[in-house]
Amino acid sequence: MKKPSLDRITTDFIRKFLDAYEIEQESISKDFEKFSSYCAIKQHYSSHFESEDIDNISVGETSDTGIDAVGIIIDNKLVDSVEDIDLLIDGKENVQILFIFVQSTISHQFKSTKFRDFTIGVKEFFYDYAFPQKTKTKQRSKKVDSKAHIACKLLDKTSVMSERPKCDLYYFMGNDVESKLGINKNLINSEKEDLINFNLFNEVNIKVHGTSYLHTLYRQTLAKPKVQIYFPHKVSLPEIKDVTQSYIGRICFSEYKKLILDEKTGNIRNVFEDNVRHFNEKYSINKEIKKTIEKDNIEKFVLLNNGITIVVKKLSTSADYFTLEDYQIVNGCQTSHILYQCRNNPRIHDLWITLKIIHTENQGIANDITTATNSQTEVSFEALNSLLKFHRDLEDYYLSSSYKIGKDEINLYYARQEGKYDKDANVPYKSRIISMKDQVKSFAAMFMNIPHESYGFYGQRLKARRIDEGMFKDDHFFEPYYTSSVAHYELYKYIKNKSNNANSYNIARFHILMILKYLILGDNIPKANHESIKAACDLIIGVVQKKRIFKKYVIECIDVIKQAKKEPEFQNRQENQIFKVESFVEKIKEIALERKRQETNI
C-alpha cells in the first residue's frame, strides 16, 4: 500500500523551516511533526522562537502518549523547568497561562483511534494534579513526564488565582483539502467536553485541520502585516522631524478590528512585538476595560480609554482609506486584546477608539514613542532595557561583524527587541538571531563564570543579582558579548549534529562555554572594559572558526566535565542538579586551569 505523501507547498514550507533553523532533515513524518508544532505554538508566542525552543517543546518519541509537542506558556514565556515557575509567578497576583498540545499525522484521513490516542494522552497528562489516584492507561516517556510534572506544579501554585489557564489542542493531517479530511465533529466535541469537565481550564479549544491551515499559520510567521482601514474622523498632526506623517482621530471597532484580527485563522495578529508590555488579562486596568464594555457603557469607552498608538513603516492614503504595512501597536496591547475577547458583544460595533498613527522609519523616534506611551502599568526590565543606547549600539556591532567557517561567512543578529528580524527576509537563518535572553545567558556563562545560572528562565535570577553588577555597562567593549554568542551558536550546532554523539551534553553547554574560555586563555582573563579583551576574544573566535581545532577543544571540555563528575561530592547527585550548583562550577574551573597550566609547561 502506498504511503501518504504531503503536497508540494507543505513540503516546500517544511524545507524552508528546517533551513531557517538549521535543523537536520529526518523522515517526512518527523519533519512534519516539528513543522506543525512550531506553527501551532508560535502563533501564541510573540518572542523569538529559538532552536532550543523547538527542541524543548518536542516530546514525540516512544511512549509519547500520542503527543508530538507540549508548549507551556506563562505571560509569553515558554516554560521548560519547575524553577521557571517560581521565577515567573512568585510575588504576582496575576499571570496568564496557556497549555498547548500538538499531534500531527501525514495520513490524509481523520482516524478516530489516532485522534483519541492524542486526547487520552492529553487528559492523562493532567491526572497527576486532577486525579492523582486514577490509573493511567499510557506509559509516559521521560520528556512527557517532565512536562506533566511542570504542569502539576504550575496548577498547584496558581490554584488560588481568579482566572484559570487555557488549553489548546491542535491535530493536523497531511491532506491540503479540508473538505476531504472526514472529521468526526461529534467525537471532537465529546473529547472537548471531557477536558472541560476537569474543571481546570477557563477555556478549551480543539482545532483539527489539514495542511492548508498550516500554510496560513506558517505564512503568518513570515509576513509583515498589511491592512486597509477606513479612517475618516482624523486630523493631521503638525510637521515633526523624522516623522513622514502622523494623524490622530477616532475609529469604530468594525474598522479597528482589521488591524488586530486575522480573518483567515480567527486569531489575534502578532503586531505587539514593539509593545514593551505583553497582554495580561488579569491587570486591574483590563478588568476595568472589560467592565466598560460588558456593563453597556460602550458609548463612554472613547472617553475613558487612553487609546491606541500605532507606528507604521509604510503608509499610503487615498481619501479616507489608509493602507498600513509593517506596523506595530506600541501602546494599546491590553486594550486590543480585551476588544478581541469582546468582539462578539452585540453592541461592540457602536464602540469608538482613539487612534494615533505615526509613519516613521526612524527607529529612535519609534523607541521614544514606545517609552513615552508606556508608563501606566508595570513594564519588564528586559523590555525597557532593550531601548537603551548600549543595546542599540550592540545591535549595530553585530550587523557590522561576521566570521568564517571554511568558505561560509556567517552573520549573527542581535535582536534587542522581541520578535525583531523574525519576519525580515534579509535574515534567512532564524537560528542566527540572538535574543536578549540568549545574550544574557551566553555572556554570563563565558565571561561572568555563572553558567549554573543560565538554565531555565534567565530573567529575574540574572537581572536582580548580576546585570547591575557586571553586564551591559556603558564602558564595556562589545567583543565579549559577540564572542560569547558566536561560541554558543557554534557549540549548539556541534552538540545537535548527530554524528558528534554529544547531544547528552546539551544540558552542560553553558559550562562548556566557560571551560572553553579557560582552556584557550588560561586564568589571565581581561575585564570587559579593558582594551586587551579584544585580543582575548579574537583568540576564542579563532579557535571556533577552525572546525577540527574547535572539535578538539569541545571534546576536552566534555572530558573536564566527566572528570569533575567523578569527584565524591558529585557522584550521588542527579545530573540535572549538578549543573545548577556553584561548587561544580568551581571544580570544572579548577580542572580546566590545571590542564591549561600543564599544556603551557610542556
Side-chain angles (χ1 to χ4, degrees):
M1 185 177 176
K2 188 179 178 182
K3 288 185 178 180
S5 60
L6 295 171
D7 61 273
R8 183 177 295 181
I9 295 175
T10 305
T11 303
D12 183 53
F13 281 175
I14 290 173
R15 179 186 57 78
K16 288 176 178 175
F17 161 70
L18 296 176
D19 287 348
Y21 282 96
E22 299 179 280
I23 298 171
E24 289 184 51
Q25 191 172 358
E26 296 184 75
S27 65
I28 294 174
S29 58
K30 197 67 182 175
D31 293 343
F32 186 51
E33 283 180 16
K34 290 178 183 176
F35 174 71
S36 303
S37 300
Y38 167 77
C39 290
I41 294 175
K42 175 58 181 168
Q43 65 175 311
H44 299 283
Y45 181 62
S46 63
S47 298
H48 171 56
F49 219 96
E50 300 162 19
S51 299
E52 181 185 358
D53 293 328
I54 294 169
D55 289 334
N56 288 341
I57 64 172
S58 177
V59 297
E61 57 187 9
T62 304
S63 301
D64 60 17
T65 66
I67 302 168
D68 289 337
V70 179
I72 302 174
I73 299 176
I74 303 176
D75 287 346
N76 199 49
K77 303 292 182 186
L78 268 171
V79 177
D80 197 51
S81 73
V82 172
E83 290 84 357
D84 292 349
I85 297 171
D86 295 332
L87 290 168
L88 288 168
I89 71 172
D90 278 2
K92 292 184 180 179
E93 293 182 5
N94 304 312
V95 290
Q96 189 177 16
I97 300 165
L98 175 62
F99 294 103
I100 306 169
F101 299 89
V102 186
Q103 170 60 232
S104 61
T105 171
I106 59 174
S107 171
H108 286 201
Q109 289 290 311
F110 182 87
K111 295 179 180 178
S112 297
T113 51
K114 177 84 173 174
F115 176 75
R116 287 202 74 246
D117 192 50
F118 170 50
T119 55
I120 289 170
V122 173
K123 286 183 278 190
E124 293 189 357
F125 182 90
F126 294 104
Y127 273 14
D128 292 352
Y129 179 80
F131 310 108
Q133 306 303 321
K134 206 165 183 177
T135 303
K136 302 179 187 73
T137 63
K138 293 174 174 289
Q139 183 180 352
R140 286 178 182 163
S141 67
K142 188 176 178 180
K143 281 187 172 183
V144 175
D145 198 56
S146 174
K147 296 284 188 185
H149 180 61
I150 294 169
C152 185
K153 293 290 184 183
L154 178 56
L155 289 167
D156 185 55
K157 281 260 186 182
T158 59
S159 60
V160 295
M161 292 187 175
S162 56
E163 292 289 338
R164 292 175 294 176
K166 295 179 181 178
C167 184
D168 282 2
L169 281 67
Y170 290 88
Y171 185 83
F172 295 111
M173 289 165 283
N175 197 328
D176 61 338
V177 183
E178 296 269 334
S179 60
K180 294 183 178 180
L181 293 172
I183 296 171
N184 185 338
K185 292 183 179 179
N186 289 334
L187 177 59
I188 294 170
N189 292 333
S190 173
E191 295 300 299
K192 178 179 176 179
E193 196 64 31
D194 282 353
L195 277 167
I196 291 171
N197 289 336
F198 275 41
N199 289 318
L200 297 177
F201 311 111
N202 181 48
E203 183 180 320
V204 175
N205 298 296
I206 300 180
K207 299 183 180 182
V208 180
H209 292 284
T211 57
S212 59
Y213 184 79
L214 275 171
H215 300 166
T216 300
L217 295 183
Y218 186 62
R219 288 188 182 105
Q220 281 185 326
T221 71
L222 303 173
K224 295 175 180 179
K226 182 178 181 180
V227 175
Q228 185 181 78
I229 58 171
Y230 182 59
F231 190 32
H233 305 285
K234 85 287 183 184
V235 293
S236 298
L237 294 173
E239 186 175 332
I240 304 168
K241 185 182 178 182
D242 293 324
V243 174
T244 308
Q245 50 190 324
S246 56
Y247 302 86
I248 188 170
R250 63 187 176 96
I251 188 171
C252 64
F253 175 76
S254 59
E255 288 299 313
Y256 181 68
K257 75 175 182 179
K258 296 175 183 176
L259 293 164
I260 62 170
L261 178 65
D262 187 294
E263 293 183 354
K264 290 182 180 178
T265 64
N267 297 321
I268 196 162
R269 292 181 187 275
N270 192 8
V271 290
F272 303 96
E273 290 102 329
D274 287 356
N275 193 302
V276 297
R277 184 185 301 104
H278 288 290
F279 174 63
N280 188 324
E281 188 173 2
K282 300 159 194 173
Y283 281 149
S284 58
I285 190 172
N286 289 336
K287 293 177 181 177
E288 291 301 316
I289 294 171
K290 208 166 190 178
K291 189 188 297 182
T292 301
I293 297 170
E294 292 176 346
K295 296 293 183 181
D296 212 24
N297 288 324
I298 280 179
E299 67 279 355
K300 295 181 183 177
F301 188 90
V302 70
L303 302 176
L304 301 174
N305 187 265
N306 288 335
I308 309 293
T309 303
I310 294 177
V311 173
V312 59
K313 289 186 178 179
K314 292 182 181 179
L315 177 67
S316 58
T317 62
S318 177
D320 293 327
Y321 289 92
F322 281 44
T323 301
L324 294 80
E325 185 173 358
D326 196 5
Y327 64 90
Q328 285 286 306
I329 296 174
V330 299
N331 185 49
C333 175
Q334 311 302 315
T335 297
S336 297
H337 278 79
I338 293 297
L339 289 173
Y340 171 78
Q341 290 182 356
C342 297
R343 64 192 182 280
N344 295 321
N345 184 294
R347 287 200 59 208
I348 193 71
H349 293 289
D350 295 330
L351 183 143
W352 291 81
I353 308 145
T354 302
L355 177 64
K356 192 185 297 179
I357 296 176
I358 300 162
H359 177 199
T360 181
E361 294 189 27
N362 185 305
Q363 191 59 47
I365 293 287
N367 290 340
D368 291 343
I369 294 165
T370 300
T371 304
T373 57
N374 283 274
S375 58
Q376 65 270 46
T377 56
E378 181 186 356
V379 178
S380 73
F381 164 85
E382 297 85 6
L384 284 181
N385 202 38
S386 70
L387 303 176
L388 299 178
K389 183 179 185 298
F390 182 90
H391 292 274
R392 296 201 298 270
D393 291 344
L394 181 59
E395 186 174 55
D396 289 339
Y397 181 84
Y398 271 74
L399 291 173
S400 66
S401 304
S402 65
Y403 65 98
K404 282 191 172 183
I405 302 291
K407 294 181 179 180
D408 295 330
E409 186 169 344
I410 297 174
N411 298 92
L412 300 182
Y413 302 85
Y414 178 52
R416 60 189 173 83
Q417 290 172 302
E418 290 184 350
K420 190 167 186 180
Y421 300 119
D422 279 4
K423 297 179 180 180
D424 191 332
N426 295 316
V427 183
Y429 296 107
K430 305 309 175 187
S431 54
R432 298 179 185 179
I433 298 171
I434 310 300
S435 66
M436 186 183 290
K437 178 175 71 172
D438 297 325
Q439 184 66 88
V440 166
K441 291 162 80 170
S442 59
F443 181 87
M446 182 169 257
F447 290 102
M448 296 178 70
N449 290 353
I450 48 174
H452 57 300
E453 295 194 11
S454 293
Y455 295 92
F457 176 63
Y458 74 103
Q460 306 211 3
R461 220 172 350 193
L462 288 171
K463 173 183 74 174
R465 295 179 47 220
R466 304 293 188 177
I467 289 181
D468 283 343
E469 295 174 16
M471 196 180 297
F472 301 138
K473 296 294 184 182
D474 288 341
D475 64 344
H476 280 191
F477 289 99
F478 300 127
E479 280 80 0
Y481 294 91
Y482 177 73
T483 299
S484 63
S485 293
V486 169
H488 180 259
Y489 169 75
E490 291 298 335
L491 174 62
Y492 189 74
K493 272 203 316 186
Y494 174 90
I495 287 172
K496 300 311 291 184
N497 186 327
K498 291 180 180 179
S499 65
N500 292 322
N501 199 28
N503 194 51
S504 61
Y505 285 91
N506 187 40
I507 191 174
R509 67 185 187 279
F510 292 109
H511 291 71
I512 291 173
L513 284 181
M514 187 190 79
I515 298 168
L516 180 68
K517 174 192 67 178
Y518 284 120
L519 290 179
I520 296 172
L521 302 178
D523 60 355
N524 187 23
I525 312 296
K527 292 184 178 180
N529 62 351
H530 197 281
E531 183 76 27
S532 58
I533 192 66
K534 293 182 179 181
C537 288
D538 285 343
L539 287 173
I540 294 172
I541 289 181
V543 167
V544 173
Q545 285 179 309
K546 297 169 184 173
K547 276 190 173 183
R548 289 183 181 178
I549 295 175
F550 181 57
K551 181 176 182 177
K552 179 184 173 185
Y553 269 98
V554 173
I555 290 171
E556 187 170 2
C557 289
I558 291 172
D559 197 54
V560 168
I561 290 170
K562 288 178 179 177
Q563 182 181 336
K565 285 165 69 176
K566 291 177 182 177
E567 294 289 324
E569 63 180 299
F570 305 119
Q571 282 183 355
N572 296 322
R573 290 201 187 206
Q574 291 183 346
E575 187 167 277
N576 64 339
Q577 294 302 315
I578 289 175
F579 297 113
K580 295 176 183 177
V581 295
E582 192 169 353
S583 57
F584 188 75
V585 175
E586 292 302 317
K587 177 54 66 177
I588 59 175
K589 176 183 175 182
E590 176 189 318
I591 295 170
L593 286 173
E594 177 59 31
R595 292 192 180 201
K596 180 63 177 177
R597 279 191 287 270
Q598 291 175 4
E599 176 196 292
T600 304
N601 293 332
I602 294 175

